């Protein structure tokens, strides 16, 4: 399989109903590109958590780019939102600034970033207050049924 | 067990895709917190949840969950969510029973935890 680049934009519409739809598209695109099931799932989970954060914490949303290569899938997430002041703190399981209504929807456990890291083989988040946040994640591909 | 047996066991009704009643489901997970579903290891065929927000069907899609069983009579409030689930091949069921009773009955009938029985996940 040759290198393929998929680009998506997540638009903050103000309505939370559509959150996750872009990630389901990503999942479908990767399946169609022939990426194996387990890799698709990990990438889709990472994208879902990213998409939710874009919808919740940025005013305008952001971009997700997924690059499929023979050995790995690389994910870039970028927004020009408020940024994160203390990245180390934000990465801690359980840390969340999500408002109450988000909790009522079953989210806001402060598990998003840790879960993205957990599903990645490489994970890097850089952020600048007032400028935005960038995520670089890599998922190594494993052939189905490989040990 | 089949989805039909699941429905009968917990007195649930199909909200869509009843034609898939014969499909086998062996593993389940129960969660109201969608973050917990997203953090799950292994694959669950069935999600048992008291959360009826639209995001539940998106999470199910991403996690390869084939059927959602809403407890306590819950169901998606918007028709287009049911339609979306149908398009993505996600079966929706709704039971009046609470989670503990649902899990107990299904466990007795052989349904297993998707995270404890990862190898059996289909
Ligand atoms: N793109 C972003 N821009 C600004 N702040 C962010 C962004 N992503 C995350 N954060 C901050 O980091 C915190 C932790 O994020 P994380 O995704 O781990 O948890 P959460 O979104 O609060 O809850 P969950 O993801 O479990 O639903 C958020 O509450 C928010 O304050
Ligand atoms: Mg989050």
């Amino acid at each position: 399989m040759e290198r393929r680049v998929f680009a998506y934009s997540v638009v903050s519409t103000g309505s939370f109903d559509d959150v996750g739809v872009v990630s389901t598209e990503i999942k479908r695109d990767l399946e169609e590109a022939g990426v194996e099931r387990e890799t698709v799932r990990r990438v889709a989970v990472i994208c879902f958590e990213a998409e939710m954060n874009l919808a919740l914490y940025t005013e305008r949303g952001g971009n997700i780019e997924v690059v499929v290569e023979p050995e790995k899938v690389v994910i870039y997430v970028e927004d020009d939102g408020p940024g994160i002041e203390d990245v180390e703190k934000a990465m801690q399981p359980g840390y969340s600034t999500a408002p109450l209504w988000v909790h009522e929807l079953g989210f806001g456990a402060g598990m998003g970033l840790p879960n993205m890291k957990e599903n990645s083989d490489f994970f890097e988040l850089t952020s600048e207050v007032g400028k935005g946040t960038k995520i670089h994640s890599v998922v190594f591909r494993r052939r189905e049924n490989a040990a | 067990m089949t989805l039909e047996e699941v429905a009968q066991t917990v007195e649930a009704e199909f909200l869509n895709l009843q034609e898939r009643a014969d499909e086998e489901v062996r593993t389940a997970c129960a969660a109201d917190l969608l973050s917990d579903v997203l953090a799950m290891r292994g694959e669950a065929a069935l999600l048992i949840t008291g959360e009826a927000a639209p995001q539940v069907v998106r999470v199910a899609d991403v996690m390869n969950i084939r059927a959602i069983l809403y407890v306590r009579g819950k169901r998606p409030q918007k028709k287009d969510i049911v339609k979306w689930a149908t398009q993505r091949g996600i079966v929706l069921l709704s039971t009046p029973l609470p989670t503990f009773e649902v899990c107990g009955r299904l466990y007795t009938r052989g349904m297993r935890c998707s995270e404890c029985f990862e190898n059996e996940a289909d």
Side-chain angles (χ1 to χ4, degrees), chain B residues 46-59:
Chain B
L46 178 71
L47 169 64
I48 299 157
T49 186
E51 179 59 69
Q55 295 77 34
V56 178
V57 294
R58 329 279 191 216
V59 172

Side-chain angles (χ1 to χ4, degrees), chain B residues 89-111:
Chain B
I90 303 167
V91 180
L92 305 181
L93 297 146
S94 179
T95 169
L97 302 175
T99 306
F100 185 81
E101 183 66 23
V102 167
C103 295
R105 288 193 192 184
L106 293 179
Y107 196 94
T108 307
R109 293 297 198 88
M111 186 77 75

Side-chain angles (χ1 to χ4, degrees), chain A residues 68-94:
Chain A
V68 178
E69 295 179 37
E71 308 295 323
K72 61 185 190 246
V73 178
V74 187
I75 303 155
Y76 300 99
V77 187
E78 207 173 344
D79 70 64
D80 58 1
I84 302 172
E85 205 172 291
D86 188 340
V87 171
E88 214 174 297
K89 204 166 161 189
M91 288 298 302
Q92 278 170 14

Side-chain angles (χ1 to χ4, degrees), chain A residues 16-17 28 37 41 106, chain B residues 34 42-43 55 61 78 88:
Chain A
F16 204 54
D17 282 7
R28 217 125 268 121
R37 193 179 169 94
R41 198 175 86 126
Chain B
L34 293 175
E43 277 191 22
Q55 295 77 34
D61 182 272
K78 291 180 183 136
R88 300 300 165 113

